[in-house]
Amino acid sequence: MTQNVVISGYGWLAGYVGSALSGKVNIIGTTRSQQKRLALEEQGVTAIEYALGDDTSVLCSHLQNATLLLNIPPGRRNTNLESFTENMLRLIDAALSADVAHIIFISTTSVYGDDTNNVLTEQSDTNPQTASAKAHVTIENHLMSKRDQTNISIVRLAGLVGPDRHPARSLSGRQLDAGNKRINLVHVHDIVSALTSIICDKPLNDVIHLCSLSHPKRGIYYVDAANAMGIDTPHFSDTEAQPGGKVIDAAQSWERLNITPTYGDPYSMF
């Protein structure tokens, strides 16, 4: 019997994941718009119109013995995330009641905050400072408390990069500070490799990091990236200062997955 993978939040990342899994599993994706639902169905995805907080009965009808990939962002400008968090917890509990076999939660390395110059491993304490980071920690903790009911995999992503997405574009031409801070990026190709392994091979029942293996200063890296892309360079202060800021150490996670990231060097991302 072919495995069902339900992707709740079929956005940019899910598009890459769905393409990689096509033909290997049955993909069911949720979207908030009828137009996107029709587009997904044309791509061979069973699509459900669902917005967080809606009735979950149709979604849950696909979840028995399935993998649920939770990839619903809270929204960058949303600072009151109580309803988002409550609705995510309700969705998780509904999935558990529907006998879901495996829940994968796409989280973020922002759960560590920015007030540290430490190297952070998967065992490091979280220190969320933004509303979004606090919501992610609450959801993570809820999921980890349910490991006796189903398989749980929490995937903390560094800053996203892809063929059609790079932070240097949004920084182009800007005046910025903290050029000495180290970057933490991950390429979508490597994320897809990791998620394919977690979905098709073995659940983690743990937390992992997905991040590049090197961490140049942003005041150097983003200038080099802009030059390579032929766009206006950003201008940073403090670039000559000693390297600072957090470093997301993902070596243990890549080893656990038996994956050598193709884009382990951020300079290969542009």
Side-chain angles (χ1 to χ4, degrees), residues 254-266:
W254 293 120
E255 182 177 357
R256 180 174 182 177
L257 294 167
N258 197 27
I259 292 173
T260 299
T262 302
Y263 296 88
D265 178 3

Side-chain angles (χ1 to χ4, degrees), residues 3 26 68 106 112 115 124-126 133 166 173 210 214 225 228 240 264:
Q3 179 185 6
N26 292 326
L68 172 62
I106 301 299
Y112 296 111
D115 292 341
S124 297
D125 292 335
T126 58
H166 196 287
L210 296 185
S214 61
E240 301 307 317

Side-chain angles (χ1 to χ4, degrees), residues 3-9 28 30 50 59-60 62-63 65-72 88 91-96 100-106 143 150-153 199:
Q3 179 185 6
N4 275 1
V5 175
V6 180
I7 304 177
S8 190
I28 299 99
T30 74
Y50 170 79
L59 175 59
C60 286
H62 297 277
L63 287 179
N65 296 320
T67 293
L68 172 62
L69 176 60
L70 288 174
N71 183 38
I72 305 175
M88 283 289 284
L91 174 56
I92 290 164
D93 290 344
L96 292 170
V100 68
H102 183 193
I103 299 177
I104 303 170
F105 177 51
I106 301 299
L143 282 165
T150 196
N151 294 302
I152 301 293
S153 300
I199 290 167

Side-chain angles (χ1 to χ4, degrees), residues 223-231 270:
V223 170
D224 290 344
N227 283 328
M229 295 175 186
I231 59 178
F270 53 78

Side-chain angles (χ1 to χ4, degrees), residues 3-138:
Q3 179 185 6
N4 275 1
V5 175
V6 180
I7 304 177
S8 190
Y10 210 99
W12 179 82
L13 174 59
Y16 283 98
V17 175
S19 295
L21 293 174
S22 180
K24 299 177 183 177
V25 299
N26 292 326
I27 302 171
I28 299 99
T30 74
T31 179
R32 292 178 294 178
S33 76
Q34 182 184 38
Q35 183 179 8
K36 182 70 179 288
R37 176 178 62 79
L38 296 173
L40 288 176
E41 288 174 349
E42 288 180 2
Q43 299 169 30
V45 176
T46 300
I48 301 167
E49 280 184 55
Y50 170 79
L52 190 63
D54 288 353
D55 180 86
T56 61
S57 55
V58 175
L59 175 59
C60 286
S61 69
H62 297 277
L63 287 179
Q64 186 174 19
N65 296 320
T67 293
L68 172 62
L69 176 60
L70 288 174
N71 183 38
I72 305 175
R76 291 183 180 180
R77 294 188 177 90
N78 192 351
T79 57
N80 184 2
L81 296 180
E82 287 185 15
S83 63
F84 168 82
T85 305
E86 289 172 3
N87 287 328
M88 283 289 284
L89 300 187
R90 287 196 192 103
L91 174 56
I92 290 164
D93 290 344
L96 292 170
S97 296
D99 294 326
V100 68
H102 183 193
I103 299 177
I104 303 170
F105 177 51
I106 301 299
S107 191
T108 169
T109 56
S110 69
V111 297
Y112 296 111
D114 288 320
D115 292 341
T116 178
N117 294 316
N118 292 336
V119 175
L120 301 167
T121 71
E122 296 82 351
Q123 291 74 42
S124 297
D125 292 335
T126 58
N127 182 29
Q129 294 164 358
T130 65
S132 174
K134 290 174 182 177
H136 279 84
V137 169
T138 299

Side-chain angles (χ1 to χ4, degrees), residues 168-184:
R169 298 194 182 279
S170 64
L171 301 179
S172 177
R174 294 173 59 186
Q175 293 284 151
L176 300 158
D177 58 9
N180 65 318
K181 280 201 169 182
R182 295 167 289 199
I183 63 163
N184 296 282

